[in-house]
Amino acid sequence: MSTSGVLSFTQQGWEQVLVKVKRALVYLDAACAESLHWGCGSTRLMEAVGGPACHLREFEPNAVGGGAEQPKAVFVLSCVLKGRTVETLRDIICRSHFQYCVVVTAVSHAVHLTANHVPAAAAAELEGQQPVFEQLEEKLCEWMGNMNYTAEVLHVPLLLAPAAPHLALTPAFASLFPLLPQDVHLLNSARPEKRRLGSLGEVDATTLTPELLLQIRCLVSGLSSLCEHLGVREECFAVGFLSRVIAADLANYAPAKNRRKTAPGRASVVFVDRTLDLTGAVGHHGDNLVEKIISVLPQLPGHTNDVMVNMVELTALQAEEDNQNIVAPGCLAQSNDTEAKALWEALLTTKHKEAVMEVRRHLVEAASRESLPIKMSMGRVTPGQLTSYLQLFKNNLKALMNHCGLLQLGLATVQTLKHPQTAKWDNFLAFERLLLQSIGESTMSVVLNQLLPMIKPSTQRTNDDYSPDDLLILLIYIYSVTGEFTVDKDLGEAEEKVKKALAQVFCEESELSHLLQKITGCDSSINLTFHKSKIAVDELFTSLWDIAGARNLMKQFKSVYVPGNHTHQASYKPLLKQVVEEIFNPERPDPVDIEHMSSGLADLLKTGFSMFMKVSRPHPSDHPLLILFVVGGVTVSEAKMVKDLAASLKPGTQALPTSLLVSGIHTVHAALDCLLTAS
């Protein structure tokens, strides 16, 4: 079993789709499009469709239907075939002239039974049958207008978007984010008085909303399919409250029982809640070029993990803003370009300085192969130098086509190095380091008072000052890294000052950012009153207190802050690092906060007997394959850290850190976006 198993899992799934799409109109939803984007590329799909015209369309209510010359349609969907999804299917088909419809869903039939409230006992009796899919096939024929037309509904587990050998994303679950203490109040609102929850520690599958429980079951179905492809029986572990629910659901997933009995290999799947450590998600410790690219360049529309690269510089158009929408944007994913893929994987695993030099080396080698008149220069790599190399390809169509993927990554690098937000990166890092020293030497009120002078209205800010979005990132950093702190009168007064200053700054913004719109509920600064702004800030601080208390019930992983001493400055120790170090601890102590989830009576007996007899409990390092699933996303630096740690601590282990981005790959702004969405 190798890390290529994750890539082959995705590609094998898409091969099952590709055999169905010849001469068809293909409708994809955003999550499946993203899986295709990273797994095998849209070019592969268009080749399979054939014909001169582009037959790819977004699956949405207003999607254009098929004309009389387009009798076949294939719908590739990441969700349960129910409710609004089925209504959209019906509307598209009814306004088309289809005679052959194929619907591919990434969700298994077993989960469709759950979604339709079929009891577990009745579902077990239906093994091998697919009544939900068969009923939809009849409906498809009815909507096409002839029961003799052809309709197919099938399940293909299009769960992953493989970004690298050590990193796979789950775009369909970008909105899945761990619970915070304030969410207990929402859960309690639907529960009778006598059955109210006291804390997150009491949350289990029976206490979640039906919508969240179904979302978890869809994820579990996909992960079970991945384990089947890898040929492993999985042991499930969890760090955090929502992770515990997901791990327990996977461990007890009934459709997986038979495949586990015959699985030749074993694997440990460890789920970790992102909310236990948001410091890493919003911090600037990561010295990684890709992290900066994803943070500063605009998001590729419809995607959660890729960016738009402005390609105008390689055309004859003037590099003006109006021309940017004329030329299709470039991106980071280059699944069918061996040269670009090699550079991409190098960028993910090297530090910023080495990564920029690697970009230069690849451009120089490509220019040399095309016999372009390149002028070599050594020393520090500058944006101007990289631009001069990129310009060599501008008027050479053959060279452009041969190295299109590489040029997209090169332009992404240049545009990031020139971006004003990149210049702020070191400022953030310096302030975060100062905060770490202050936290050890001062109270929380003193730390907040240090932040107060930095809260400035737009009329008083320079390019070096912090915007409202930047300030929110710093606040999350402060509260997450500090964890538990002493509550006193000074803290209350300092918080009120910061709240008032923030509320005033929000009101005085000439244009509200996406984050401020989400926080305040106002799409325009004209509608934002001080009263509305103050309410939003109060709610924000409730979330900040929840973040600070996220590790309260942890015993071993209670802190990510390492105090300074005479020889070392205070520092931040990522929770993920602590988890991986504990997993590969050579002394193999019983994990305290890494909880094993039993998959049946045998496991329960084994765990019970271990209290009285010398029976070893299941341990996440027991097996050669480790899948680390971070519920809420990881940063590029964290993914690299896990990969390097696993290799150094236990060289024989194949570590596949599989992440959710509220992404998949987190950026500092995405982390805050996820938090607000979840709240």
Side-chain angles (χ1 to χ4, degrees), residues 521-550:
C522 295
D523 56 3
S524 169
S525 57
I526 299 169
N527 304 322
L528 183 58
T529 63
F530 181 80
H531 178 66
K532 285 182 182 177
S533 184
K534 185 65 168 64
I535 290 172
V537 171
D538 285 341
E539 289 175 354
L540 176 72
F541 269 76
T542 300
S543 294
L544 290 173
W545 275 77
D546 283 353
I547 290 165

Side-chain angles (χ1 to χ4, degrees), residues 577-654:
K577 184 175 186 180
Q578 296 180 48
V579 170
V580 175
E581 285 179 347
E582 180 61 19
I583 289 172
F584 296 123
N585 186 334
E587 295 179 7
R588 286 176 52 89
D590 279 346
V592 178
D593 288 331
I594 305 175
E595 188 176 352
H596 175 251
M597 309 312 295
S598 302
S599 59
L601 182 61
D603 270 352
L604 284 171
L605 287 172
K606 190 174 182 181
T607 304
F609 281 132
S610 70
M611 296 171 67
F612 310 105
M613 303 169 63
K614 288 187 177 180
V615 178
S616 61
R617 289 185 179 186
H619 193 280
S621 67
D622 286 341
H623 311 306
L625 180 64
L626 169 67
I627 300 176
L628 183 63
F629 196 108
V630 184
V631 184
V634 294
T635 64
V636 173
S637 297
E638 287 172 330
K640 178 185 181 299
M641 176 190 71
V642 170
K643 175 179 177 288
D644 294 345
L645 262 178
S648 64
L649 296 173
K650 195 173 180 184
T653 301
Q654 306 157 39

Side-chain angles (χ1 to χ4, degrees), residues 119 142 173-174 224 261 327 336 377 390 456 519 550 566 583 657:
E142 187 181 310
F173 302 94
S224 180
K261 289 175 184 175
V327 179
N336 291 318
S377 56
L390 289 161
K456 298 178 182 178
I519 291 168
H566 296 299
I583 289 172

Side-chain angles (χ1 to χ4, degrees), residues 258-548:
N258 288 335
R259 66 118 175 124
R260 284 183 183 136
K261 289 175 184 175
T262 57
R266 302 291 293 273
S268 294
V269 184
V270 182
F271 296 88
V272 182
D273 279 5
R274 172 80 267 180
T275 41
L276 294 172
D277 177 15
L278 282 172
T279 312
V282 299
H284 296 72
H285 321 94
D287 184 21
N288 185 276
L289 176 62
V290 174
E291 204 158 287
K292 294 173 185 176
I293 291 172
I294 295 173
S295 291
V296 305
L297 295 190
Q299 199 171 63
L300 194 63
H303 288 250
T304 54
N305 303 291
D306 208 342
V307 298
M308 289 196 293
V309 181
N310 184 359
M311 303 299 291
V312 172
E313 285 184 54
L314 294 180
T315 70
L317 292 168
Q318 294 293 315
E320 297 172 358
E321 197 168 328
D322 293 344
N323 291 332
Q324 289 183 19
N325 295 326
I326 297 174
V327 179
C331 60
L332 301 177
Q334 305 295 334
S335 52
N336 291 318
D337 187 326
T338 306
E339 176 189 43
K341 203 170 180 180
L343 175 58
W344 166 249
E345 290 174 9
L347 299 184
L348 285 172
T349 55
T350 54
K351 292 185 176 182
H352 175 98
K353 185 177 178 181
E354 288 83 355
V356 174
M357 292 175 70
E358 193 70 11
V359 172
R360 178 174 68 178
R361 184 177 70 81
H362 274 75
L363 287 173
V364 168
E365 289 178 359
S368 298
R369 285 197 295 273
E370 298 294 336
S371 302
L372 298 174
I374 192 161
K375 291 182 180 178
M376 284 297 296
S377 56
M378 303 303 290
R380 184 168 169 268
V381 184
T382 65
Q385 185 188 103
L386 293 179
T387 300
S388 69
Y389 295 157
L390 289 161
Q391 290 293 322
L392 295 172
F393 295 83
K394 185 170 181 176
N395 298 313
N396 189 322
L397 182 60
K398 178 173 171 287
L400 276 170
M401 292 180 69
N402 287 344
H403 306 283
C404 186
L406 170 62
L407 297 175
Q408 289 174 63
L409 294 177
L411 280 170
T413 301
V414 170
Q415 288 161 26
T416 298
L417 295 176
K418 288 181 175 179
H419 200 283
Q421 197 65 26
T422 303
K424 268 190 177 181
W425 194 275
D426 289 340
N427 294 348
F428 269 108
L429 183 58
F431 188 66
E432 287 162 8
R433 285 175 176 164
L434 181 64
L435 280 172
L436 287 173
Q437 308 314 313
S438 299
I439 288 166
E441 299 164 4
S442 313
T443 61
M444 187 65 160
S445 58
V446 173
V447 173
L448 289 176
N449 284 325
Q450 287 178 337
L451 187 69
L452 197 58
M454 301 178 185
I455 305 174
K456 298 178 182 178
S458 56
T459 52
Q460 296 177 22
R461 288 200 301 265
T462 66
N463 289 337
D464 292 331
D465 289 320
Y466 294 109
S467 69
D469 288 12
D470 297 336
L471 291 166
L472 296 179
I473 287 165
L474 288 173
L475 280 167
I476 290 180
Y477 186 95
I478 291 168
Y479 279 78
S480 180
V481 77
T482 303
E484 289 184 280
F485 46 79
T486 305
V487 180
D488 55 24
K489 181 185 173 185
D490 290 343
L491 175 60
E493 291 176 356
E495 277 195 344
E496 281 307 313
K497 288 178 185 175
V498 171
K499 284 182 187 179
K500 187 177 178 181
L502 276 177
Q504 191 63 49
V505 164
F506 289 178
C507 289
E508 294 179 16
E509 288 296 293
S510 56
E511 189 175 335
L512 298 181
S513 67
H514 169 74
L515 285 175
L516 288 187
Q517 288 177 33
K518 185 170 284 191
I519 291 168
T520 60
C522 295
D523 56 3
S524 169
S525 57
I526 299 169
N527 304 322
L528 183 58
T529 63
F530 181 80
H531 178 66
K532 285 182 182 177
S533 184
K534 185 65 168 64
I535 290 172
V537 171
D538 285 341
E539 289 175 354
L540 176 72
F541 269 76
T542 300
S543 294
L544 290 173
W545 275 77
D546 283 353
I547 290 165

Side-chain angles (χ1 to χ4, degrees), residues 107-274:
V107 180
S108 69
H109 186 266
V111 177
H112 279 83
L113 291 175
T114 302
N116 285 281
H117 312 294
V118 176
E125 292 176 10
L126 290 170
E127 190 173 355
Q129 302 174 56
Q130 297 189 328
V132 177
F133 289 176
E134 289 163 7
Q135 287 169 18
L136 183 57
E137 286 173 353
E138 289 184 13
K139 283 289 184 186
L140 293 173
C141 290
E142 187 181 310
W143 298 332
M144 285 188 284
N146 189 327
M147 298 308 289
N148 292 319
Y149 285 165
T150 306
E152 288 181 69
V153 179
L154 63 146
H155 162 235
V156 178
L158 303 172
L159 171 72
L160 301 178
H166 66 286
L167 178 64
L169 318 170
T170 53
F173 302 94
S175 62
L176 185 63
F177 205 70
L179 302 173
L180 292 170
Q182 62 187 289
D183 296 314
V184 172
H185 302 301
L186 297 174
L187 296 175
N188 280 336
S189 64
R191 297 173 67 82
E193 185 80 34
K194 292 181 180 178
R195 297 182 59 204
R196 295 279 170 92
L197 304 171
S199 70
L200 275 179
E202 298 173 32
V203 170
D204 60 22
T206 62
T207 61
L208 299 180
T209 62
E211 296 79 12
L212 179 54
L213 202 54
L214 181 60
Q215 191 180 20
I216 288 171
R217 183 56 59 88
C218 290
L219 172 60
V220 162
S221 163
L223 291 173
S224 180
S225 296
L226 172 62
C227 291
E228 182 176 12
H229 176 81
L230 296 172
V232 295
R233 174 185 172 181
E234 68 278 17
E235 292 275 8
C236 299
F237 301 84
V239 183
F241 304 116
L242 192 63
S243 286
R244 192 171 61 198
V245 176
I246 299 170
D249 203 47
L250 178 57
N252 295 282
Y253 186 53
K257 283 183 179 177
N258 288 335
R259 66 118 175 124
R260 284 183 183 136
K261 289 175 184 175
T262 57
R266 302 291 293 273
S268 294
V269 184
V270 182
F271 296 88
V272 182
D273 279 5
R274 172 80 267 180

